[in-house]
Amino acid sequence: MVRALRPDYPLETARLSLRPYRLDDLDALHALQSQPEVTRYLLWDVRDRDGARRSLERKMDETALTEDGHAIVCAVECRETGVVVGEVNLVLVSREHRTGEIGYVFNPKWGGRGYATEAAERMLRLGFETFGLRRMIGRLDGRNAASARLLERLGMRREAHFVENERVKGVWTDEVVYAMLAREWKERAAST
């Protein structure tokens, strides 16, 4: 049997608590997933309350990495207020190659406060320092400049740009891939 990679929850930052989703997160998740501004560059479209409920049920089970393609999905809660402001995830791309992928979705209502950067950085630390991954990537729709800036703030480098390789909501879009190696993570940590 393959050993599951499971963090000790909650994952804490200075201002945030990253934890598994719970049933009582439905309102916050629906508020996030029902906004066209949030889903604009994502592969899925806005969700009604029933769609958000089905999504929540899946997310509640995504708490450990056991095989390639599995994800850890965390609700991001502001520790001061207890409000869920978004979510972050870590996908095991390849156990053999020790590669993971981070992702994030945040409610614009809480934008401009650095929450997304803080939470995504915590997921990088989880992948590199706790799980011993060698490489982490972040993929985005080429039109999503805000997401590109976030990955650059994390110290990830732009590694690939695939022209019109994905169809998102009926439109051919570019995919941009950012990456960081464990040694780059250590060098960055040593310099801060």
Side-chain angles (χ1 to χ4, degrees):
M1 174 169 244
V2 176
R3 180 179 69 91
L5 301 175
R6 182 183 318 276
D8 291 328
Y9 293 108
L11 303 170
E12 302 286 342
T13 70
R15 302 177 297 161
L16 305 171
S17 181
L18 286 57
R19 56 161 177 80
Y21 271 101
R22 306 182 303 237
L23 283 174
D24 64 345
D25 293 323
L26 179 58
D27 290 339
L29 186 61
H30 180 247
L32 177 68
Q33 293 185 345
S34 64
Q35 296 184 56
E37 177 184 352
V38 170
T39 64
R40 179 178 179 191
Y41 301 119
L42 300 176
L43 297 175
W44 46 273
D45 212 340
V46 296
R47 292 184 174 139
D48 61 15
R49 193 166 180 81
D50 287 337
R53 180 179 287 107
R54 287 189 298 275
S55 174
L56 176 62
E57 290 166 358
R58 286 189 304 274
K59 290 173 187 301
M60 287 171 48
D61 289 332
E62 295 178 311
T63 60
L65 307 176
T66 55
E67 61 186 55
D68 293 357
H70 280 190
I72 289 171
V73 181
C74 294
V76 178
E77 183 179 285
C78 178
R79 288 173 38 189
E80 185 177 316
T81 64
V83 173
V84 173
V85 296
E87 76 176 40
V88 289
N89 64 60
L90 171 59
V91 177
L92 182 60
V93 174
S94 171
R95 185 181 284 268
E96 176 184 1
H97 301 292
R98 295 177 30 221
T99 301
E101 177 181 352
I102 60 166
Y104 39 83
V105 182
F106 279 77
N107 191 323
K109 177 179 179 179
W110 306 105
R113 300 173 193 197
Y115 292 152
T117 303
E118 190 173 324
E121 184 173 54
R122 182 63 182 93
M123 295 308 275
L124 283 176
R125 189 167 52 141
L126 175 68
F128 288 130
E129 297 178 13
T130 304
F131 294 159
L133 297 179
R134 184 192 66 81
R135 176 180 171 80
M136 296 282 282
I137 65 169
R139 297 180 309 130
L140 56 100
D141 183 311
R143 301 170 294 176
N144 193 343
S147 188
R149 286 190 302 272
L150 188 154
L151 294 174
E152 290 166 1
R153 278 193 302 275
L154 294 172
M156 298 179 85
R157 76 188 121 63
R158 186 174 167 151
E159 192 167 82
H161 184 144
F162 300 102
V163 178
E164 294 184 12
N165 75 313
E166 289 186 318
R167 199 158 167 82
V168 177
K169 299 179 180 80
V171 177
W172 286 105
T173 64
D174 295 2
E175 177 185 14
V176 177
V177 179
Y178 282 77
M180 178 181 275
L181 297 172
R183 66 177 162 77
E184 295 169 317
W185 172 258
K186 287 178 186 172
E187 290 166 4
R188 182 176 181 268
S191 68
T192 56

